[in-house]
Each structure stands twice: as structure tokens, then as C-alpha cells.
Amino acid sequence: MRIEIKSVEYFMKLTLPKTLRRLLRASKFWQDNYILLREFKNFRRIAILAVIFTVSAAVFEGLTLGLLLSFLQSLTDPSGAAVTTGITWVDTVILGANNPVQTRIYQVSLFLVLTTVVRGVLFYLGKLCSGYAQAELSYQLKIRIFEQLQSLKLSYFSQTRSGSLINTVTNEIVQLKQVFDLMSNILVKVSNLFIYIISMFLLSWQLTVISLMLFSLLTVAISTLFKRIREISFARTTANSQFTSVALELISGMRTIQGSVAQEFERQKFYAVSDRIEQVEKRSAVFQAGVEPITITASTVVLLGILLFAYTFMIASGQLKVATLFTFLIILFRLVPVVRLLNAQRAKLINFQGSIDNIKQLLRTDNKPYLANGKVRFAGLRRGITFRSVDFAYEPDNPILKNINLTLEKGKTTAFVGASGAGKTTLADLIPRFYEPTLGSIQFDGRDIQEFDVDSLRHKMAIVSQDTFIFNTTIAENIAYGLKDVAPAAIWQAAEQANAIEFIQEMPAGLNTELGDRGTRLSGGQRQRIAIARALLRNPEILILDEATSALDSVSEKLIQNSLERLAVGRTVITIAHRLSTIAKADKVVVLDQGRIVEQGSYGELLSLQGKLWKYHQTQHRMSEVDHH
């Protein structure tokens, strides 16, 4: 934090007077938006250049109008004294005060063209730097948000609407990056506004016709730029679509990502699509930045051409007064557009405050749950996992688990049984640290789970749940998700052991078939077999099966059950069962009721007690008989 503050202060010191810096620090704007302003440390040079070029363009705008005043004075009063500044070299070299009137006019005209071109170049550079700063700001904010989301506990995502997160990550950042450009434009327009305050006079129809013809040619020229901008817009749309897809998978699949220890894989994918958007926006900025300066520069050249035309043909013949000419051109091309743009940009700035606030809230660190990572690398389970007086609650007043005391032995299968809402999935989720106990502790071989590096812990685990997340990529990449340099033969072997080969071979491209968003091309049973193949390839020591066969037809259930039995061999297995027939061979059955363990023992032992498990068994047996008849 100290480095960030220093960077922002440095930026302010270079760009703002001391008094203004003090006022800014005390202002509500600074307090509300500091979390965003500090991002300028990443591109302060380009931001400073944008301000310098923009202000310099405004200065040259004033110089241009000053030269225009000298030009008009020489036109309207050839026998009068020339306009002077009191600076000898300026009056002589630029204004030509000592030269004859005709020479003075052409000399001033030359400098008018030069200052106009210089102003146009400066304005273009200011717009270009502003465009680059916008793209960089957007990129940096996306990276910060990504890292924020990666570091949060899973509980944050269960309490936050995914749509709101996606909107903040995409639309609101896109809107926010325009703020810098708006501010630079306002700076220019406000500076110019004081130069353009003049009185209105009657217009000349002859010059109107000439102006329309010349500006029609300008429109044709500008349309070439618009064509290029339109072409780039398609690339931007594609890049934004890819980014939204990746961001949605990041948020929706956070459980799978964390369970697979695939944060680095997602980081590289996210950085790549963000970089693609940044490059497209920078290319777009090259052409967008040229529209207004070319228009203004061409307008000024047209102005000068009309002035020379009027001087040569209309003023000499008495058809036009100089005051009318001056009013027509200056008011039409300067004042009205400035007022219109200032009003529109002011409205946009006000409208951006909601986006700024949403991003600020997402990036806050004082109101979000973060996972405290341990430092000890988990080398593997030697004895077992122990729950000691564990309580858990999503909300303080609504406990889900109460006084859980339980030992899961290495190499054994433990089944969690209970009614919906009994706490089975929540209890299993504590093992890979998706959630933390409210009270008590969980120990691996006698060592508190919080002492272990969470990635090393999850590397030893695999999770197959009832809601398998399928990524929008190939079957092979889904099976090998989160793993590096996996041989195709190993992927094929895992698919074969998971009884997935038959349906994979029926796919158009086999293992290379794209599965679409969230795997919409797969049935429930096929999704589960992909998940089992994914778990097999990871070769985990600890396997968590969360109702992996629920909501499947009998044929799919039999295939999945066979695959799960093959997967469970030699591993420590925690299984959450919906159908009791799937856990009859479990080494231990733990029965939960309203967040408490009410029974535990082997399946046969608990049936003989005729307690909770016996009641569940009887209920399912009667239902099976009804279905059979």
C-alpha cells in the first residue's frame, strides 16, 4: 500500500500545483476514487504525456486565433498599424509588422498553417496517449479484479450474484476507461471556450455553398477512417466475447478451479484474453484519435481558404464585410461544437459514478473473506483425517454443523448419509478447505489443516460431484484440466477406465470435440464420466464423491458406479450417498441429522441398531418395491 500511495503522490506532484494537490486530497472525489486513481502508477508516463499534449494543443489553438486576428486586421484595415506583441522577434519574424500589407498577409497565413498543423499533431498525440491510458487502465483493473476473485474464499461466490460480478468485470470497466479521455477533452474545450466568445452576425449564402462543398469532401475523407474503426469494432466484439466467456467460467467454475488447483492455468488464460482486448483497443485508438484532429485541422484549412477566397474575390469587390466572414467561420466551426460537447461530456462523467463505485466495492479488501494459506507442504496422508468438535455456519445465527467429532482413516471409504440439509456436502467441503470451521479444528495426521499450503493439499485430492462443471473446450482438455504436459495416451486410458470411451468415439472429433458452454452437448451421465476420468488422471490420494450418481437413469448409474469403484481402489474415499445401495460396501457410514452425527459404524452394524440408517433403508426399500410394481 505504501508503494501505491507514493506512486499516486508522484503523479500528482508532476501534474498539479501544490495548492490544488491539497484540495484534491481533501476532496470527496479523491476519497471515493483513490482505489482507481492509484492504478495510474502503472502508466503515469503515458498519462502525463496525454495531459501535456492536450494542454499544448489548446495553447496552439490560442496562438492560431491570435495569428488569425493579425490576419483579419491586415485584411480589414490595410493602411492601419499592424498587430504587435511588443516582442521584437515575434513582431518581425512571425507577424511581419515591418513588411508591406500583402507580404504580411501571406507571411501570417504561412504561420497560421504551421500552427494549425502543429496543434493538430499535438491534439492527435494527446488523444492517442489518452487512448493508450484508457486501454492500460482497463487492463490493470481487470487483472486486479481477477487476482481479487482468485484469492477469495468460496463462501464469497455463494453469497454474490454472478451476473453482478460479470457486469462489473466487463461493462462497467469498459465504461470507466473513458473517464480519462473525457477529462482531457473537457480540459481542451474549456480552454477553447473562453477564446471563442464573440458576437453573432448575419451569414453569407455564397460562403455557405462553398463551405458545404468543401466539407462534403472532408466527410468523404473521414469516412475512410470510420471504415477502419468499424472493422476494428468487430475484432473488439470478438475479443470482448472471449473475455466474457472466460470470466464467466472463472466465476461459475471457481469450485472446480480451486479443487483442481488450476489457478495458474486460469491466470494465463485470463491474462491472454485481457491482453488481446488491450491490443485491439490500442489499434482502435490509433484511428479514433485521428477523427477529431483531422476534422478540426481540415476545418481550419477550409477557414483559411475561404478567407483567402473572400479577400481575393469578395471583399475587394465589396460583396462581403470582414465582420460577417469572421463571425460565420469562427462561430460555426468553434463555439457551437464546444458547448455541445461540454454538456454531453459532463453528463457522461456524472453517469460514470455508479460504475466507479461498483468497481471500488469489488476491489475493497476490508469486507471480504480471504483464505489464510499455510506454509507446510502436504506430502500425503499417513494415518487419517480427524474432526475435533467442529462447528460450521454460513451465517452466525444459523449453524449447519454442530460438534462434529469424526476420524476418516487412510485407505478406507467413509459414507455420509442423511436427509437433505443435514450437512453432508458442507462437511465434505471442509476437507479441501472450501470453507473453514467456525469452531473446532480439522487435522491431517494430527496437524491442523490450516498449517498446510492449500494448493499442495488440493493436489492430493479429487472431487466428483453431482454438478460437474464442463469447460468450453475439448473433451481431452476437460479431462486433463489443471494438469500440464499430459500424454494423449494417458487421457485415453483415464477415459477408458471411466467407461467414457463409447460416447467419446461417437463424437465428431473424438477427444478433440468442443463441448460448448458448460458442456451443453453432454448428458448427465456423460458429464459424470468426464469428471471421473478427470479424477483418475489426477491419481488422487483422497477422493470426495458428492452424490455422483444422483439424478441418473439406471443404466448410467450402473456405469458410473462401476467407474467409481475402480476409481476408489487404494484411496481414502469420502462419499455422500443418495441411494443407500451404493454405500453398502463402505468401511464406515456416518449418519447426520440436522448438522449432528447421530450414528456411525459399518452398514451392517447400523442396520442392526434399527436407528436412523435403518429408517432410511426401510423407506428406500419400500419406494423401490413401489417402483418395481
Side-chain angles (χ1 to χ4, degrees):
M1 179 66 71
R2 190 175 302 164
I3 295 175
E4 292 174 345
I5 292 175
K6 189 174 181 181
S7 299
V8 177
E9 291 290 336
Y10 177 72
F11 176 76
M12 291 170 57
K13 185 176 180 181
L14 288 179
T15 57
L16 299 175
K18 186 176 182 180
T19 304
L20 187 56
R21 292 203 303 270
R22 290 177 178 174
L23 291 174
L24 181 57
R25 290 192 199 98
S27 69
K28 189 174 185 300
F29 176 84
W30 173 263
Q31 296 169 4
D32 288 346
N33 303 307
Y34 173 74
I35 198 167
L36 303 176
L37 292 172
R38 66 183 181 181
E39 293 305 318
F40 281 91
K41 72 181 185 292
N42 296 302
F43 51 94
R44 57 173 175 260
R45 289 185 179 86
I46 197 73
I48 291 170
L49 283 175
V51 172
I52 291 173
F53 285 135
T54 299
V55 173
S56 298
V59 170
F60 269 84
E61 176 78 1
L63 293 176
T64 300
L65 292 178
L67 288 169
L68 186 60
L69 177 62
S70 174
F71 182 85
L72 292 172
Q73 179 68 17
S74 298
L75 287 177
T76 56
D77 189 10
S79 60
V83 173
T84 57
T85 63
I87 302 174
T88 304
W89 73 269
V90 173
D91 296 338
T92 304
V93 177
I94 298 177
L95 299 179
N98 299 328
N99 295 332
V101 173
Q102 189 171 10
T103 303
R104 186 192 313 152
I105 289 173
Y106 288 113
Q107 184 172 342
V108 172
S109 297
L110 175 62
F111 280 101
L112 270 171
V113 172
L114 290 176
T115 54
T116 298
V117 171
V118 171
R119 179 183 55 80
V121 170
L122 289 171
F123 190 76
Y124 170 79
L125 292 174
K127 292 285 289 184
L128 183 59
C129 290
S130 178
Y132 274 44
Q134 291 174 57
E136 190 67 32
L137 175 62
S138 176
Y139 176 78
Q140 294 296 335
L141 285 174
K142 287 170 185 172
I143 296 307
R144 280 198 63 203
I145 290 174
F146 173 79
E147 294 296 345
Q148 171 82 310
L149 294 177
Q150 286 260 70
S151 62
L152 292 171
K153 290 183 180 179
L154 196 62
S155 58
Y156 175 80
F157 299 94
S158 63
Q159 299 169 3
T160 306
R161 295 178 60 182
S162 297
S164 176
L165 293 176
I166 292 298
N167 181 61
T168 301
V169 172
T170 55
N171 296 335
E172 290 179 343
I173 288 183
V174 171
Q175 292 178 2
L176 186 63
K177 72 185 183 65
Q178 301 174 39
V179 170
F180 189 88
D181 186 54
L182 285 173
M183 294 303 297
S184 64
N185 282 339
I186 288 174
L187 180 63
V188 173
K189 302 309 176 186
V190 169
S191 301
N192 293 342
L193 185 62
F194 292 102
I195 301 173
Y196 300 153
I197 299 176
I198 57 173
S199 301
M200 298 295 291
F201 292 91
L202 296 175
L203 304 179
S204 167
W205 70 267
Q206 296 96 331
L207 292 181
T208 301
V209 172
I210 295 173
S211 298
L212 289 174
M213 293 174 59
L214 293 174
F215 277 100
S216 295
L217 296 174
L218 175 61
T219 302
V220 172
I222 291 296
S223 64
T224 303
L225 277 180
F226 286 151
K227 183 178 179 182
R228 293 303 303 273
I229 293 170
R230 182 176 180 274
E231 291 171 355
I232 293 174
S233 71
F234 291 110
R236 184 195 293 112
T237 299
T238 301
N240 283 330
S241 176
Q242 292 172 344
F243 172 77
T244 303
S245 177
V246 170
L248 186 58
E249 286 186 349
L250 167 70
I251 296 169
S252 300
M254 188 57 68
R255 178 189 177 95
T256 304
I257 293 168
Q258 291 186 358
S260 302
V261 197
Q263 288 93 332
E264 183 59 32
F265 176 79
E266 289 297 322
R267 178 177 290 110
Q268 293 175 5
K269 188 163 62 173
F270 192 93
Y271 281 19
V273 294
S274 297
D275 183 71
R276 199 171 301 132
I277 291 175
E278 182 189 21
Q279 297 305 318
V280 169
E281 288 177 338
K282 285 182 177 180
R283 291 205 311 270
S284 177
V286 171
F287 295 100
Q288 285 185 336
V291 174
E292 192 168 351
I294 289 175
T295 301
I296 294 174
T297 302
S299 299
T300 306
V301 173
V302 169
L303 167 63
L304 184 58
I306 292 174
L307 285 171
L308 290 173
F309 174 83
Y311 168 73
T312 305
F313 298 103
M314 300 181 70
I315 291 178
S317 62
Q319 298 180 47
L320 184 70
K321 293 182 179 180
V322 174
T324 302
L325 176 63
F326 184 89
T327 302
F328 178 85
L329 297 171
I330 298 299
I331 295 296
L332 181 61
F333 297 127
R334 306 294 187 189
L335 185 59
V336 175
V338 167
V339 174
R340 177 178 57 82
L341 287 172
L342 277 175
N343 288 331
Q345 289 166 355
R346 181 170 175 265
K348 287 182 180 179
L349 281 176
I350 295 172
N351 193 46
F352 283 139
Q353 192 58 51
S355 297
I356 293 174
D357 186 67
N358 280 346
I359 293 175
K360 181 182 71 173
Q361 292 302 323
L362 180 57
L363 291 176
R364 282 181 61 183
T365 58
D366 60 335
N367 62 347
K368 294 180 179 63
Y370 292 91
L371 186 67
N373 201 10
K375 296 182 179 179
V376 178
R377 292 198 64 80
F378 181 66
L381 196 64
R382 297 191 302 274
R383 297 189 303 275
I385 304 169
T386 305
F387 290 76
R388 296 188 181 277
S389 303
V390 169
D391 287 8
F392 176 78
Y394 294 106
E395 300 173 359
D397 299 331
N398 186 22
I400 304 299
L401 298 175
K402 307 163 191 173
N403 195 32
I404 300 296
N405 289 282
L406 176 65
T407 297
L408 310 176
E409 296 182 41
K410 178 185 177 181
K412 300 293 182 68
T413 297
T414 303
F416 295 162
V417 177
S420 296
K424 306 184 296 295
T425 298
T426 302
L427 183 59
D429 282 347
L430 296 178
I431 297 172
R433 288 193 70 190
F434 288 152
Y435 302 98
E436 306 284 5
T438 307
L439 292 174
S441 66
I442 301 172
Q443 298 177 351
F444 281 62
D445 299 327
R447 193 161 200 165
D448 195 290
I449 190 174
Q450 296 186 3
E451 296 181 23
F452 292 106
D453 173 77
V454 69
D455 285 353
S456 68
L457 189 71
R458 291 171 179 169
H459 269 303
K460 300 293 184 179
M461 300 182 186
I463 303 167
V464 180
S465 65
Q466 57 184 324
D467 184 21
T468 299
F469 191 89
I470 301 296
F471 293 89
N472 188 5
T473 184
T474 65
I475 295 176
E477 289 173 342
N478 265 284
I479 293 174
Y481 181 74
L483 302 176
K484 296 180 179 179
D485 302 324
V486 180
I491 297 174
W492 186 263
Q493 183 180 11
E496 190 173 27
Q497 292 175 342
N499 290 319
I501 290 299
E502 183 178 352
F503 81 82
I504 290 175
Q505 289 176 329
E506 294 174 355
M507 291 287 181
L511 284 171
N512 295 319
T513 302
E514 297 278 347
L515 294 179
D517 191 25
R518 300 181 70 89
T520 53
R521 302 181 62 172
L522 299 178
S523 68
Q526 290 170 341
R527 289 167 182 262
Q528 294 301 79
R529 280 175 272 176
I530 292 292
I532 293 169
R534 185 186 290 168
L536 280 164
L537 195 59
R538 294 175 65 83
N539 191 26
E541 288 190 18
I542 301 168
L543 178 63
I544 299 174
L545 306 174
D546 186 359
E547 296 192 292
T549 61
S550 66
L552 297 178
D553 59 79
S554 57
V555 176
S556 295
E557 182 182 0
K558 185 176 180 180
L559 285 172
I560 299 300
Q561 192 61 40
N562 291 338
S563 301
L564 290 176
E565 290 176 1
R566 187 179 296 115
L567 175 60
V569 173
R571 310 182 199 279
T572 304
V573 181
I574 299 95
T575 179
I576 299 171
H578 176 71
R579 293 181 176 88
L580 296 182
S581 60
T582 63
I583 62 163
K585 299 179 182 179
D587 298 290
K588 179 188 288 187
V589 177
V590 178
V591 183
L592 291 103
D593 184 45
Q594 296 183 355
R596 297 182 184 273
I597 296 177
V598 294
E599 294 175 357
Q600 56 178 308
S602 70
Y603 194 84
E605 289 172 350
L606 296 185
L607 284 182
S608 65
L609 294 176
Q610 295 192 359
K612 277 284 185 182
L613 182 67
W614 182 81
K615 291 180 180 179
Y616 292 143
H617 177 84
Q618 291 295 101
T619 300
Q620 289 197 9
H621 182 69
R622 285 194 297 268
M623 292 176 63
S624 177
E625 288 182 344
V626 171
D627 292 339
H628 179 73
H629 290 299

